[in-house]
Amino acid sequence: MSKVCNLTGKKPISGNNVSHSNRKTKRRFVPNIQKKRFFVPELDKFVTLRISTNAMRTINKLGVHAYIKKLESKGIETGVKL
């Protein structure tokens, strides 16, 4: 399963492990993706999302419906039908 956030679009990036002797080997930085179910009172239904914990914090502040509306107003495709 891909490690991509449904709302923010965060995905793994590559970089280097750097040892004490300054040797470099490739590694991946993966985002902290969680599967979470949210209740949307405006629609009176549950929505299951695979989102980063950063997006989860923003949803806790704004609410899921307001956050998705904000992303869609910026032109970001969320894949969630509201």
Side-chain angles (χ1 to χ4, degrees), residues 44-61:
D44 199 38
K45 68 176 186 177
F46 282 94
V47 176
T48 302
L49 300 170
R50 286 179 46 90
I51 59 173
S52 63
T53 52
N54 185 20
M56 206 178 296
R57 286 174 51 122
T58 308
I59 287 173
N60 285 341
K61 291 178 186 175

Side-chain angles (χ1 to χ4, degrees), residues 23-39:
R23 292 185 67 167
K24 295 167 183 71
T25 55
K26 283 294 185 187
R27 63 160 291 183
R28 286 179 63 183
F29 293 94
V30 289
N32 188 2
I33 302 290
Q34 306 292 325
K35 191 173 185 180
K36 180 86 170 116
R37 198 171 143 217
F38 292 100
F39 181 73

Side-chain angles (χ1 to χ4, degrees), residues 15-19 21-27:
N16 289 318
N17 275 332
V18 181
S19 69
S21 63
N22 209 25
R23 292 185 67 167
K24 295 167 183 71
T25 55
K26 283 294 185 187
R27 63 160 291 183

Side-chain angles (χ1 to χ4, degrees), residues 2 9 31:
S2 66

